[in-house]
Each structure stands twice: as structure tokens, then as C-alpha cells.
């Protein structure tokens, strides 16, 4: 029997769609919520649901009960879902696209559909402009205008913002707000502080006794295009270039509870509030409050967690992925830190598409305290980068030796290569050429849209090559809009662990590949990671923190990351592989 291997993402989308359409249909809310919960849980799963199904354990997935498990099974066995087919025959699927529009709930969507036959956002906008909504039951001129404004806001609101854009913007904003008199501190909160690779908006939190001055400074920024909300403790803005930011201001003695709240995630906060309740507290944005009404103010987050009997939990872990349980049991990992990194294992020079010479690159790395730098230019078949031929690599090796002699012991240089994994899984250089490099990173840059089976086999072939030490940016994804290859990660991870090949977390914010969940899974299996900047210019070295943040979100300790090892240990590891 052949099965239909739906990915977790596909399954999540299916249950999300069922939730949306059931809600518009008027299904009881607990059923709608159950579908949503299942969708979320499937999307966050760090193993393929298909494999879980094959071991007969679908109902062990949080939020997956008997009814949902049966639907998943029907999808795997038949490739279809009768329930969804019936539902979409009843409720036009395009209606679901209107749900995220402000002021437009499921009830109104159903009303417009049933009364006016409206099934798309464009039709709705046209009807609102023509004044056709105001005469419907429960509607009026005002609610019609609100819906039009909601549609406009929705269209203006762009996609999630890559962290590589949001972070530097937030750093500048913080510097400006910190300079306002009376402001004690300004910090990132929300998904930005938790280090997600994309953020919905920039959340900032300021400590000040009087919010007025800092709020005014926030609002009176020439780049602001729209004030979404302006209040004493919270304001929210849009900027011309599609960024959104909100600022909370709290008195310093309440900063801890406020910062904890605003950092989220929402799910982490929900769990924490449950824990607080069990201990006779209620926890809000403003304070911990005893049952008897007495407030306990917390100036720091440490106090909040301590009062609940927990160690402070690093922001990157606050995703409700088991961190509170781990904290309760005293087994939070000692997360890797930026300062643990001493080697860069992936960087480019003018020999391919980098901007710096070997000497300049080495000096840039040394200036940032790296003790070891691998020069790893592209190999020849990646023509757009002017990659190296085997013969050019030999000349480059001479130059690296020369620069090493000039720089002495201040930094150790390795001669690496970022060898192209061709569409058929073969590498750009024959074994005898690869054997001459100190370290070999193999990467895919082209034909990423190959079918799952093919692209997985291709990468497996590279992992099994005895000369390959690291796989660079394993999926090839790029923000904002290139999806990674459709890899069977579980097989990749097993092979990489078996052959002792490290997988990269590419720190460039347009890549962040591997991302947090797969990296966590791989390390839990015993795999090794490398965190590299893939520097093509001097300033690229400063992007390393983005990669470390991904690793922290993946619960990774320094031990699992090659770049934290002493030079001797790294060289021994490489020697043992040769
Ligand atoms: P984003 O902006 O979509 O990337 O995600 P977040 O996590 O930054 O979420 P956002 O911006 O909606 O809210 C910022 C923080 O405010 C969030 O991380 C936690 C807190 N928060 C928001 N809504 C709620 C809520 O309903 N309950 C609780 N406990 N916290 C909330
Ligand atoms: Ca946010
Ligand atoms: Zn590269």
C-alpha cells in the first residue's frame, strides 16, 4: 500500500482551514478551538507526524484526540479528507481569507456571504464602497465604514518582518529613546527579544517614572507614517517602510513583571499564570498579586520567576516548548553564548564572491577576537560567484600560507572550500582534490526545488562523502521568499550523526538555516552543529549573534557547537576524520 506523506506544515494548514471554515459555518466554538490547537501543535512538532502515525502514536501529539487522529490517518492512507471536502462544498474556502481583517469576525463574514453572496475580500470592499452593507441586519453606516477601514489596514499591513531588518531598526530606536531624560532603561520585548527569525512587530519596553517624555519621543519620529494607538503606557506606530513598533512604559519598580509579560510568548505566559494561580498568586503585566490583594512588585524578571519557585528562564526558551517543566525540575540547559564562539569556519574572499582579500578577511576576524578562521570560497560550478577551480585552489593555498606566516600566531588560518553539491549529489571536486583541504563544507545553492525524495538523496550523498565535514545552510532557504528544499530532515539528521558531519546554522539573517526546531531535534539526536557567518564582507562578521540566538532557541549548549571548541580540539577532530 502506498501512503500519502503529508508534511507537518501541510497537515497544520488543513486543520487551520477546517477551523476557519467551521467557524464561519457557525460550528460550536470548542470544536473550532480544538482544530486550531491541533494545527498549532502539528506545525510545532519536531518529528514528522507521518512517522509518529506509523508507530501508532498519533494521539500522543498534544491536541490530537481520536477524531483528529482519524482524519490524519485518512489523509495518509487516501490522500484526501472527506470531512474537508464536504465542508468546502458547503462553505466557500475563499471566505477564510477575510478572517484576519480587523472588525470582520466569522459572523459578519457569514452574513455578507448569505445575504449578498460575497465570497472574496475584493467583492466585500466593492460592496462596502457602494454602501451595500449598511442596510443589512445589525449593520449601519458606522459599522460599514469600520469594515472599510479594517480592509485598508489589512492591506497595508505587510508580512512578518525578517529579524535582520527589525533588529537593527530596534537598536537605533532604543538608542534614541534611551537618550530621553528620565528614562532608566529601554529593552526589546516580544518575539524580537525571544529571537524569532521573523517578527510581527517590534515590541519595546521603557522604565521611567513619567511616561510622557519618552512616549512623545517615540511618537514624534519623522519616519512614522501612522499612529495606530497612542496612550500613556502603550503606543503603537507604523513606519513608511512596512515596520511596526509598540512601546510600553512602566515605572522601574514594576519593570520586571512588565518585561516578563511583554516578552511572552503568549503561550509561555499562559503557563506561567497557571503556575502562579496554583501558588496563590495572580500574575499580570503590572504585578504579582496575593489572594488577599497584596501586590508584590518586581523590578527584575529574576524576582518574578523566583517568586514562582523558578530560576530565570532565558527569553529564547519562552515558547512553551517544555521550558517551564525543565525549570521546575532544575534541568534548563546552560545555553551557548556569543562569547563561547572562538572560530569562524565559513567565509569568502575575492577568490570567489567575497569583498576582502585573504589578508583583510583574516584581520577582520582577528579584530573580532576569532582565534581561527577558515577561508572557504565557492567551487567552480557556482559560476555566478566566480568559484575556484582545483588549480586556483592550489594558488590560494600558497597565499593563505603566506598570510599565515605574516600574521604569526595571532590567528590560525585554515584552507577550506565551500564545495557545490551538484543536482545529482556529486561534488564539484574529485576526492583527491577534496582531500587536500583542511576542512570541507558542502552546500546546495541550485536546483532546490527538486522533489523531496530526490533532493534528500542528493544531500545524503554529500553527507556520506568521507571528505565532507560540514553541510552549509542545509535547506537553502532565504528570507523573505525562498523556501528551503523539501528535505526529509529525519533521514538527513540520522546520516549526519552517523557520519559525524556537522550541520551549519548559517548566521546570516537572510538564512538562519538550520532554524530552531530542526536544530534542536538534531542536537537531541546527538548531532554536531557549526555556527558560521558565511562572511562575504567585514561587517558580516557582526551578524554572528543571529546564529547564536537560533542555537539558544534550539536549547543548544556550547559543547554541541564546533566553533566553541579549543583550536586543538577542533584540529584533532579534523585530523581524526582524515
Ligand atoms: P509577533 O509580534 O507576532 O512576532 O509575536 P509576539 O510574541 O511579539 O506577540 P505580540 O506582539 O502580539 O505581543 C507581544 C507580547 O505581549 C507577547 O509576546 C506576550 C504579550 N501578550 C500579548 N497578548 C497577550 C495575551 O493575550 N496574554 C498574555 N499573557 N500575553 C500577551
Ligand atoms: Ca511582537
Ligand atoms: Zn558561503
Amino acid at each position: 500500500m502506498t501512503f500519502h506523506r503529508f508534511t507537518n506544515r501541510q497537515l497544520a494548514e488543513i486543520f487551520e482551514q477546517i477551523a476557519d471554515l467551521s467557524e464561519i459555518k457557525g460550528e460550536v466554538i470548542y470544536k473550532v478551538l480544538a482544530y486550531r490547537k491541533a494545527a498549532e501543535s502539528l506545525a510545532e512538532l519536531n518529528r514528522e507526524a507521518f512517522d509518529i502515525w506509523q508507530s501508532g502514536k498519533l494521539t500522543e501529539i498534544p491536541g490530537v484526540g481520536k477524531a483528529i487522529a482519524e482524519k490524519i490517518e485518512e489523509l495518509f492512507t487516501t490522500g484526501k479528507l472527506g470531512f474537508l471536502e464536504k465542508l468546502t462544498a458547503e462553505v466557500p474556502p475563499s471566505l477564510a481569507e477575510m478572517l484576519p481583517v480587523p472588525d470582520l469576525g466569522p459572523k459578519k463574514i457569514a452574513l455578507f456571504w448569505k445575504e449578498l453572496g460575497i465570497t472574496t475580500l475584493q467583492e466585500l470592499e466593492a460592496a462596502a464602497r457602494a454602501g451595500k452593507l449598511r442596510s443589512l441586519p445589525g449593520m449601519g453606516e458606522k459599522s460599514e465604514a469600520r469594515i472599510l477601514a479594517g480592509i485598508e489596514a489589512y492591506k497595508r499591513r505587510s508580512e512578518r518582518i525578517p529579524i535582520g531588518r527589525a533588529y537593527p531598526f530596534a537598536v537605533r530606536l532604543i538608542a534614541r529613546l534611551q537618550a530621553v531624560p528620565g528614562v532608566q532603561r529601554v529593552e526589546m520585548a516580544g518575539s524580537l527579544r525571544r529571537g524569532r527569525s521573523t517578527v510581527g512587530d517590534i515590541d519595546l519596553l521603557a522604565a521611567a517614572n513619567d511616561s510622557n517624555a519618552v512616549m512623545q519621543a517615540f511618537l514624534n519620529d519623522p519616519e512614522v507614517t501612522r499612529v495606530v494607538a497612542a496612550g500613556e503606557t502603550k503606543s503603537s506606530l507604523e513606519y513608511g517602510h512596512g515596520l511596526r513598533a509598540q512601546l510600553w512604559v512602566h515605572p522601574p519598580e514594576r519593570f520586571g513583571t512588565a518585561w516578563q509579560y511583554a516578552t511572552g510568548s503568549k503561550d509561555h505566559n499562559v503557563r506561567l499564570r497557571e503556575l502562579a494561580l496554583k501558588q496563590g498568586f495572580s500574575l499580570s503585566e503590572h504585578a504579582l498579586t496575593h489572594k488577599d490583594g497584596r501586590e508584590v512588585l518586581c523590578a527584575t524578571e529574576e524576582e518574578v520567576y523566583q517568586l514562582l519557585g523558578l530560576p530565570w528562564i532565558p527569553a529564547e526558551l519562552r515558547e512553551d516548548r517544555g521550558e517551564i517543566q525543565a525549570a521546575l525540575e532544575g534541568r534548563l540547559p546552560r545555553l551557548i553564548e556569543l562569547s563561547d564562539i572562538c572560530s569562524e569556519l565559513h567565509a569568502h574572499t575575492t577568490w570567489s564572491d567575497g569583498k576582502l582579500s585573504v589578508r583583510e578577511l583574516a584581520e577582520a576576524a582577528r579584530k573580532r577576537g576569532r582565534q581561527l578562521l577558515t577561508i572557504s570560497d565557492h567551487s567552480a560550478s557556482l559560476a555566478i560567484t566566480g568559484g575556484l577551480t582545483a588549480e586556483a585552489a592550489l594558488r590560494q593555498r600558497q597565499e593563505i600560507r603566506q598570510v599565515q606566516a605574516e600574521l604569526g600566531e595571532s590567528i590560525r588560518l585554515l584552507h577550506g572550500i565551500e564545495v557545490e553539491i551538484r543536482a545529482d549529489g556529486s561534488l564539484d571536486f574529485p576526492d583527491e582534490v577534496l582531500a587536500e583541504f583542511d576542512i570541507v563544507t558542502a552546500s546546495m545553492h541550485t536546483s532546490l526545488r527538486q522533489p523531496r525524495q530526490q533532493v534528500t538523496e542528493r544531500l545524503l550523498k554529500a553527507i556520506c562523502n568521507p571528505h565532507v565535514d560540514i553541510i552549509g545552510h542545509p535547506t537553502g532557504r532565504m528570507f523573505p521568499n525562498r523556501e528551503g528544499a523539501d528535505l526529509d530532515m529525519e533521514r538527513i539528521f540520522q546520516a549526519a550523526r552517523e557520519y559525524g558531519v556537522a550541520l551549519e546554522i548559517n548566521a546570516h539573517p537572510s538564512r538562519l538555516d538550520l532554524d530552531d526546531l530542526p536544530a534542536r531535534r538534531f542536537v537531541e539526536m546527538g548531532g554536531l552543529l557549526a555556527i558560521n557567518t558565511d562572511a562575504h564582507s567585514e561587517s558580516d562578521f557582526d551578524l554572528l549573534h543571529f546564529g547564536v540566538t537560533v542555537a539558544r532557541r534550539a536549547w543548544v549548549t556550547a559543547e554541541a557547537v564546533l566553533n566553541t571548541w579549543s583550536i586543538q580540539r577542533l584540529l584533532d577532530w579534523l585530523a581524526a576524520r582524515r
Side-chain angles (χ1 to χ4, degrees):
M1 180 162 188
T2 59
F3 295 126
H4 301 264
R5 250 192 120 103
F6 285 86
T7 63
N8 291 348
R9 198 187 311 169
Q10 289 169 324
L11 292 173
E13 278 167 13
I14 288 170
F15 285 102
E16 194 59 47
Q17 189 184 22
I18 293 178
D20 288 349
L21 298 181
S22 314
E23 195 173 11
I24 294 167
K25 184 183 159 190
E27 186 57 87
V28 287
I29 193 67
Y30 77 85
K31 283 200 182 167
V32 174
L33 291 177
Y35 291 128
R36 281 208 206 293
K37 172 79 194 159
E40 265 174 43
S41 168
L42 285 162
E44 293 227 319
L45 217 55
N46 55 18
R47 283 185 58 201
E48 288 295 320
F50 186 85
D51 298 335
I52 299 176
W53 170 63
Q54 292 213 309
S55 51
K57 293 184 172 162
L58 271 184
T59 51
E60 287 178 19
I61 301 173
V64 174
K66 193 162 153 285
I68 286 174
E70 280 168 4
K71 292 186 175 61
I72 297 176
E73 174 156 289
E74 185 180 336
L75 284 162
F76 287 150
T77 48
T78 69
K80 291 189 297 200
L81 184 56
F83 179 81
L84 180 60
E85 284 175 9
K86 251 177 65 194
L87 188 60
T88 52
E90 241 179 295
V91 186
S94 59
L95 290 176
E97 289 158 26
M98 293 189 242
L99 279 171
V101 177
D103 282 306
L104 200 61
K107 291 210 175 68
K108 284 203 185 110
I109 294 171
L111 175 75
F112 303 147
W113 165 47
K114 287 179 182 150
E115 297 288 327
L116 302 172
I118 288 169
T119 58
T120 67
L121 199 58
Q122 289 89 317
E123 289 168 6
L124 181 66
E125 186 173 0
R129 289 199 192 285
K132 287 183 185 159
L133 305 183
R134 59 184 70 170
S135 51
L136 294 174
M139 291 288 298
E141 259 181 69
K142 269 197 191 144
S143 46
E144 186 180 73
R146 255 207 315 278
I147 283 175
L148 208 48
I151 295 174
E152 274 160 14
Y154 176 69
K155 291 205 302 197
R156 215 174 19 239
R157 189 187 306 165
S158 49
E159 295 290 285
R160 293 181 66 79
I161 310 155
I163 194 170
R165 279 192 68 210
Y167 188 89
F169 187 82
V171 167
R172 285 198 303 277
L173 209 52
I174 288 173
R176 209 164 60 75
L177 298 177
Q178 235 151 12
V180 175
V183 173
Q184 297 198 359
R185 63 195 288 201
V186 184
E187 301 284 353
M188 295 180 193
S191 52
L192 186 62
R193 179 173 179 223
R194 301 197 312 278
R196 286 193 55 180
S197 48
T198 65
V199 301
D201 61 2
I202 293 170
D203 296 296
L204 300 179
L205 199 71
N209 283 312
D210 175 9
S211 75
N212 192 38
V214 64
M215 234 9 141
Q216 286 311 316
F218 182 60
L219 294 167
N220 298 326
D221 177 337
E223 284 181 79
V224 170
T225 52
R226 195 166 83 100
V227 177
V228 182
E232 204 181 317
T233 57
K234 185 177 162 185
S235 296
S236 177
L237 304 175
E238 282 179 13
Y239 302 84
H241 26 272
L243 288 170
R244 295 170 298 281
Q246 55 181 330
L247 174 70
W248 279 274
V249 186
H250 286 276
E253 65 274 16
R254 294 179 187 270
F255 193 79
T257 32
W259 199 20
Q260 194 290 316
Y261 174 88
T263 297
S265 67
K266 210 191 267 185
D267 293 341
H268 174 89
N269 287 357
V270 167
R271 291 244 181 254
L272 208 61
R273 281 202 305 260
E274 285 168 6
L275 190 67
L277 279 179
K278 275 193 215 148
Q279 304 181 7
F281 285 109
S282 74
L283 173 61
S284 80
E285 184 175 358
H286 303 285
L288 273 167
T289 313
H290 269 293
K291 271 201 287 260
D292 58 17
R294 190 163 42 92
E295 274 195 335
V296 187
L297 304 189
C298 299
T300 65
E301 281 192 332
E302 281 80 355
E303 293 167 62
V304 180
Y305 285 99
Q306 198 192 353
L307 280 161
L308 300 175
L310 297 173
W312 178 80
I313 300 179
E316 296 91 335
L317 298 184
R318 300 184 200 167
E319 297 288 352
D320 188 22
R321 293 177 181 163
E323 70 279 6
I324 292 182
Q325 198 55 36
L328 280 169
E329 292 165 10
R331 47 172 188 83
L332 281 177
R334 198 186 162 285
L335 296 181
I336 183 172
E337 291 174 16
L338 188 57
S339 58
D340 290 326
I341 303 253
C342 50
S343 299
E344 171 61 60
L345 303 175
H346 182 174
H348 298 265
T349 69
T350 47
W351 283 87
S352 65
D353 58 350
K355 294 208 178 74
L356 305 180
S357 68
V358 171
R359 169 90 194 222
E360 289 164 339
L361 191 74
E363 283 176 352
R366 186 174 64 173
K367 203 157 94 188
R368 286 160 178 82
R370 302 294 191 284
Q371 297 160 29
L372 181 146
L373 168 70
T374 298
I375 317 276
S376 58
D377 278 302
H378 293 283
S379 61
S381 81
L382 200 58
I384 47 162
T385 66
L388 298 178
T389 59
E391 183 272 327
L394 277 179
R395 282 185 284 126
Q396 186 187 41
R397 188 163 307 143
Q398 294 312 313
E399 181 175 335
I400 292 172
R401 292 216 174 109
Q402 177 62 37
V403 173
Q404 179 74 81
E406 289 163 20
L407 296 180
E409 295 197 338
S410 61
I411 184 163
R412 177 67 189 250
L413 300 181
L414 295 186
H415 189 207
I417 184 80
E418 182 174 19
V419 66
E420 192 61 19
I421 305 172
R422 296 172 178 158
D424 64 359
S426 65
L427 301 180
D428 241 359
F429 288 149
D431 284 358
E432 60 276 16
V433 173
L434 289 176
E436 295 300 315
F437 290 97
D438 298 325
I439 180 167
V440 174
T441 292
S443 309
M444 301 191 291
H445 294 91
T446 57
S447 307
L448 293 171
R449 298 272 70 83
Q450 288 173 333
R452 184 177 177 92
Q453 173 92 14
Q454 191 182 358
V455 75
T456 301
E457 296 296 339
R458 172 184 176 195
L459 194 54
L460 287 174
K461 204 165 152 191
I463 290 170
C464 301
N465 182 304
H467 299 287
V468 170
D469 305 300
I470 301 176
I471 298 296
H473 43 74
T475 77
R477 78 159 178 187
M478 296 270 260
F479 289 112
N481 46 26
R482 193 211 281 162
E483 277 206 36
D486 182 17
L487 292 164
D488 183 339
M489 279 303 187
E490 204 64 17
R491 290 182 65 202
I492 300 296
F493 292 165
Q494 265 155 15
R497 193 199 43 189
E498 188 179 329
Y499 288 85
V501 169
L503 298 182
E504 184 178 72
I505 293 178
N506 190 292
H508 198 282
S510 67
R511 291 198 181 271
L512 301 177
D513 173 20
L514 298 175
D515 207 344
D516 50 2
L517 287 171
R520 180 171 176 186
R521 170 75 184 147
F522 182 52
V523 168
E524 278 172 1
M525 288 170 67
L528 284 172
L529 295 171
I531 305 177
N532 294 317
T533 64
D534 198 356
H536 286 70
S537 69
E538 167 140 18
S539 59
D540 282 355
F541 282 107
D542 301 324
L543 302 173
L544 183 61
H545 67 97
F546 289 117
V548 173
T549 296
V550 171
R552 290 171 62 83
R553 289 177 57 78
W555 294 52
V556 168
T557 61
E559 179 57 25
V561 180
L562 298 184
N563 313 62
T564 69
W565 293 0
S566 72
I567 307 304
Q568 196 51 53
R569 181 172 175 198
L570 183 69
L571 295 177
D572 289 348
W573 180 76
L574 287 167
R577 297 178 57 74
R578 263 152 189 82

